[in-house]
């Protein structure tokens, strides 16, 4: 957030009326959506709060899911629409939970900051004429900087809600968006609000952050255009991709010799993240298989320490990648250096061939980045403490018998905020959290 | 301009700007100037003939990474179209009419 938005948010006024819901769900990714739908179907009134302008989390950004290779956005987009249209779910996007006070069992008082989009939600039709008129281009967050967006923009084609937002910190106050809007929806006088709610229970589903791989300086991310992250590769493979095909950012050429570097920013004490991120092996194998389909003549190499194919169908998925011709090399990549014409040299320890240091040239390198906790919400609890583990993930009350209950009775957690996990496990945990909320509310309300 | 006898409505963006004394940073203005220059150069290069990223870079004096980033931004905004591919694996792009 920039200086101008901060200045505007400082003028937020607290609303007098307090609204009441049965459950507050924080985070509109797949975990939050699933929990919201389960609880809403049981008849509970749910408030779902998402800090971004659209719900969807990380899942809708992915190409396909492993090991079934089902289309990720085909699964997540109907869920997003169902959440938005369910009569028992109230959706607040572009909003942040700032304060949570527990007054008793089944009684939480919450303050939520609703940030101004500078667009009237009830008027905007998502036509994107503001976007066409805006002259300012900035890197697009949803494509992880692979291309630009405007300062007035629709977050992405399948955003829910599909409402424009003005990035006030990159606005030059030219008014072109306001002039172009055919329905008069642009309103720069929209003010931030603090909304007060009373809820009976809370589910935290704020997910994870991607490891900032720029911290691993030897991998040259941000310095070499053809060193990208796995999330960027997933975007390149997705139907809503930023380019017209899978191409190298350096010069728009089709890559023919692609390398994956596993455990980039996980299982690595030198960067402060010793944990395995659990999903990197499988999403890299997924991407390798998809690349074999998109670029049949390309060579795909995966540099790995161990392949952790532990879930149902995972080992078969791994073997399938080998059968398709993906090359697996056991060895940690030590460093990456530039070569000619945007190519990249990878230095690695070839463990299965005597542990010698070797190097190989690739025309695109994908860093399979790990996951980090996203525990900012812990600061919002005022008179009760949300326990985190030593790495910052939410510490369940009992890892084995009660993995979704937190240290605070009435506050539950689901998905990657508890620890790295894949989508099916996240959905199961969301359903478990919803069931626990229902049981808790029945108990405290009698 | 509004109907005869009515005053032109002041845009809300200008009311906010004046009320809070907001102005875009110098860096943002410089970036925007540079962006316009890049846009004009790329559009001029592909106005009449479809070209690859290295060809556009050579003609405009920009680096290939910059050309490709802006080209894809314009492509996704519907201003540029792809027209075939070379044997070297480069797409050719042209300005949409």
């Amino acid at each position: 957030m920039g200086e101008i938005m901060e200045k505007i948010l400082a003028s937020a006024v607290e609303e007098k009326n307090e609204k009441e819901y049965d459950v507050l769900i924080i985070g509109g990714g797949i975990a939050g959506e699933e929990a919201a739908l389960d609880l809403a179907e049981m008849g509970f009134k749910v408030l779902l709060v998402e800090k971004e302008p659209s719900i969807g989390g990380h899942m809708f950004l992915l190409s396909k899911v492993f090991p079934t290779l089902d289309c990720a956005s085909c699964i997540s987009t109907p869920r997003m629409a169902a959440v938005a249209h369910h009569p028992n779910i109230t959706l607040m996007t572009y909003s942040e939970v700032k304060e949570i006070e527990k007054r008793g069992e089944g009684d939480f008082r919450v303050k939520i900051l609703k940030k101004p989009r500078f667009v009237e939600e009830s008027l905007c039709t998502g036509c994107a004429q503001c976007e066409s008129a805006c002259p300012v281009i900035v890197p697009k967050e949803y494509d992880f900087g692979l291309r630009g967006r405007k300062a007035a923009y629709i977050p992405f084609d399948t955003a829910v809600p599909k409402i424009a937002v003005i990035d006030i910190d990159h606005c030059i106050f030219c008014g072109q968006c306001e002039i172009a809007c055919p329905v008069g929806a642009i309103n720069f006088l929209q003010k931030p609000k603090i909304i007060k709610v009373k809820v009976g229970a809370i589910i935290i589903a704020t997910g994870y952050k991607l490891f900032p791989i720029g911290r691993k300086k030897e991998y040259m991310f941000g310095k070499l255009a053809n060193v990208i992250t796995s999330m960027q590769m997933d975007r390149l493979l997705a139907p809503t991709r930023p380019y017209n095909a899978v191409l190298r950012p350096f010069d728009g050429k089709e890559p023919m010799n692609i390398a994956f570097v596993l455990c980039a920013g996980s299982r690595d004490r030198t960067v402060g993240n010793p944990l395995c991120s659990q999903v990197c092996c499988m999403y890299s194998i997924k991407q390798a298989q998809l690349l074999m389909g998109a670029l049949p003549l390309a060579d795909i190499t995966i540099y790995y320490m161990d392949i952790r194919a532990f879930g149902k169908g995972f080992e078969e998925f791994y073997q399938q990648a080998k059968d398709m011709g993906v090359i697996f090399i056991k060895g940690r990549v030590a460093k990456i250096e530039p070569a000619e014409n945007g190519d990249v040299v990878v230095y690695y320890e070839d463990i299965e061939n005597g542990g010698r240091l070797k190097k190989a040239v690739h025309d695109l390198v994908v860093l399979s980045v790990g996951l980090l906790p996203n525990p900012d919400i812990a600061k919002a609890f005022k008179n009760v403490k949300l326990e985190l583990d030593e790495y910052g993930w939410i510490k369940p009350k009992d890892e084995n018998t009660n993995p979704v209950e937190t240290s605070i009775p009435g506050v539950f957690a689901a998905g990657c905020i508890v620890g790295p996990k894949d989508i099916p496990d996240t959905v199961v945990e969301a359903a478990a959290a919803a069931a626990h909320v229902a049981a808790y509310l029945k108990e405290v309300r009698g | 301009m509004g109907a005869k006898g009515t005053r032109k409505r002041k845009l809300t963006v200008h009311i906010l700007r004046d009320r809070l004394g907001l102005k875009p940073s110098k860096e943002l203005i410089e970036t925007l100037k540079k962006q316009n220059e890049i846009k004009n150069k790329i559009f001029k290069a592909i106005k009449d003939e479809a070209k690859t990223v290295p060809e556009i870079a050579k003609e405009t004096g920009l680096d290939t990474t910059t050309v490709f980033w802006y080209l894809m931004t314009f492509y996704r905004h519907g201003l540029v179209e792809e027209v075939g591919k070379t044997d070297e694996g480069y797409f050719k792009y042209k300005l949409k009419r």
Side-chain angles (χ1 to χ4, degrees):
Chain A
M1 191 188 306
E3 256 177 54
I4 296 177
M5 190 58 154
E6 266 180 22
K7 189 172 181 179
I8 290 167
L9 291 183
S11 68
V13 177
E14 203 168 292
E15 288 202 333
K16 282 184 187 158
N17 295 336
E18 189 176 65
K19 292 172 187 164
E20 200 169 332
Y21 301 90
D22 294 315
V23 190
L24 165 69
I25 297 178
I26 309 168
I30 188 67
E33 288 163 13
E34 288 294 327
L37 286 169
D38 282 359
L39 285 160
E41 284 297 304
M42 288 183 229
F44 292 103
K45 295 287 179 196
V46 177
L47 173 64
L48 178 60
V49 177
E50 166 58 48
K51 72 175 185 339
E52 299 296 336
S54 169
I55 55 169
H58 286 104
M59 184 179 168
F60 81 91
L61 297 169
L62 305 177
S63 52
K64 302 204 175 197
V65 297
F66 61 77
T68 57
L69 293 184
D70 290 317
C71 165
S73 56
C74 303
I75 301 167
S76 58
T77 310
R79 293 279 200 286
M80 291 156 70
V83 164
H85 294 111
H86 201 291
N88 285 343
I89 300 174
T90 301
L91 186 57
M92 277 180 70
T93 51
Y94 215 37
S95 301
E96 290 177 28
V97 171
K98 289 292 179 190
E99 211 175 295
I100 303 171
E101 185 193 345
K102 184 171 183 179
R103 294 206 183 159
E105 290 310 325
D107 184 357
F108 293 89
R109 307 299 167 105
V110 183
K111 289 183 181 175
I112 302 161
L113 171 66
K114 186 159 177 54
K115 298 177 277 189
R117 285 175 180 263
F118 307 106
V119 175
E120 293 298 340
E121 296 189 13
S122 59
L123 296 177
C124 180
T125 60
C127 70
Q129 291 201 34
C130 54
E131 192 171 305
S132 299
C134 177
V136 184
I137 299 172
V138 292
K140 186 175 172 73
E141 297 87 347
Y142 286 98
D143 282 328
F144 299 89
L146 289 170
R147 69 172 177 104
R149 63 157 170 82
K150 298 294 190 71
Y153 67 106
I154 302 285
F156 51 93
D157 292 345
T158 54
V160 175
K162 195 172 178 183
I163 295 170
V165 57
I166 311 285
D167 173 357
I168 198 78
D169 289 306
H170 289 101
C171 181
I172 56 164
F173 311 107
C174 65
Q176 291 303 312
C177 55
E178 201 170 344
I179 294 164
C181 181
V183 293
I186 309 287
N187 178 11
F188 280 85
L189 301 180
Q190 208 173 48
K191 290 194 168 141
K193 292 177 198 164
I194 304 278
I195 292 165
K196 294 192 289 186
V197 296
K198 179 186 175 190
V199 296
I202 296 170
I203 294 177
I204 302 171
T206 50
Y208 63 88
K209 289 192 266 199
L210 289 169
F211 181 86
I213 195 61
R215 269 162 55 183
K216 183 96 181 159
K217 299 211 181 303
E218 12 342 357
Y219 286 174
M220 304 286 281
F221 178 73
K223 307 272 184 212
L224 302 180
N226 284 340
V227 176
I228 65 172
T229 67
S230 44
M231 194 49 120
Q232 288 177 315
M233 177 51 84
D234 241 301
R235 293 300 301 136
L236 292 183
L237 290 162
T240 54
R241 59 191 173 212
Y243 303 162
N244 48 323
V246 177
L247 301 170
R248 311 194 313 171
F250 176 76
D251 56 1
K253 189 184 172 196
E254 273 189 341
M256 281 294 139
N257 186 358
I258 305 163
F260 285 83
V261 177
L262 268 52
C263 300
S266 47
R267 300 180 68 190
D268 188 348
R269 288 187 188 279
T270 65
V271 292
N273 187 26
L275 300 183
C276 168
S277 290
Q278 299 208 26
V279 290
C280 312
C281 289
M282 297 314 292
Y283 73 57
S284 302
I285 293 171
K286 172 198 78 178
Q287 291 180 1
Q289 290 197 22
L290 294 175
L291 282 167
M292 300 289 273
L295 303 164
L297 301 180
D299 294 322
I300 316 287
T301 306
I302 294 182
Y303 296 95
Y304 70 99
M305 290 202 288
D306 309 289
I307 294 294
R308 295 187 164 174
F310 54 84
K312 189 171 78 173
F314 289 8
E315 179 62 25
E316 291 78 2
F317 195 60
Y318 170 38
Q319 294 303 331
Q320 182 174 290
K322 280 186 177 173
D323 292 344
M324 288 170 77
V326 177
I327 302 156
F328 286 83
I329 294 180
K330 189 174 175 68
R332 184 131 200 164
V333 169
K335 64 174 177 177
I336 288 171
E337 284 184 351
E340 280 183 358
N341 299 320
D343 289 351
V344 181
V345 190
V346 169
Y347 292 84
Y348 65 99
E349 183 190 10
D350 191 359
I351 293 172
E352 285 178 341
N353 288 298
R356 282 179 302 160
L357 184 68
K358 284 192 177 174
K359 63 179 182 179
V361 178
H362 297 276
D363 60 3
L364 185 66
V365 169
V366 182
L367 303 174
S368 298
V369 293
L371 314 186
L372 290 179
N374 193 12
D376 293 351
I377 194 65
K379 293 177 205 150
F381 288 89
K382 291 301 162 198
N383 60 344
V384 275
K385 191 178 176 204
L386 184 70
E387 295 282 349
L388 305 176
D389 69 17
E390 59 182 304
Y391 304 106
W393 305 97
I394 285 185
K395 191 174 177 182
K397 190 175 171 189
D398 187 310
E399 195 95 44
N400 297 313
T401 60
N402 199 349
V404 296
E405 200 169 319
T406 70
S407 54
I408 307 166
V411 178
F412 303 85
C416 284
I417 186 62
V418 187
K421 58 181 63 71
D422 64 13
I423 293 163
D425 284 355
T426 296
V427 170
V428 168
E429 214 166 81
H436 274 263
V437 164
Y440 171 78
L441 288 177
K442 192 177 173 200
E443 189 187 326
V444 298
R445 288 174 176 176
Chain B
M1 183 65 76
K4 196 177 176 185
T6 62
R7 287 173 62 194
K8 191 178 173 186
R9 184 176 68 96
K10 193 172 180 182
L11 295 173
T12 60
V13 66
H14 295 149
I15 298 172
L16 177 78
R17 181 195 60 191
D18 298 345
R19 195 180 282 171
L20 297 183
L22 302 176
K23 56 179 181 182
S25 65
K26 276 183 188 168
E27 294 92 324
L28 183 57
I29 295 295
E30 284 309 310
T31 305
L32 192 57
K33 281 182 191 168
K34 212 178 281 177
Q35 282 181 355
N36 283 337
E37 251 175 61
I38 293 168
K39 182 181 167 180
N40 291 339
K41 281 181 181 177
I42 293 174
F43 280 11
K44 194 180 163 197
I46 56 170
K47 191 178 162 209
D48 299 318
E49 198 188 335
K51 289 180 184 140
T52 64
V53 170
E55 285 167 352
I56 301 166
K58 196 175 173 190
E59 188 171 325
T60 58
L62 299 165
D63 64 79
T64 54
T65 308
T66 302
V67 167
F68 185 57
W69 194 85
Y70 280 96
L71 209 51
M72 286 302 101
T73 301
F74 302 142
Y75 175 81
R76 280 294 171 210
H77 284 129
L79 303 172
V80 166
E81 60 187 339
E82 69 174 65
V83 189
K85 197 168 76 171
T86 67
D87 291 342
E88 291 79 36
Y90 289 104
F91 281 92
K92 289 191 164 218
Y93 301 94
K94 195 166 185 265
L95 194 62
K96 260 191 187 173
R97 295 236 173 249

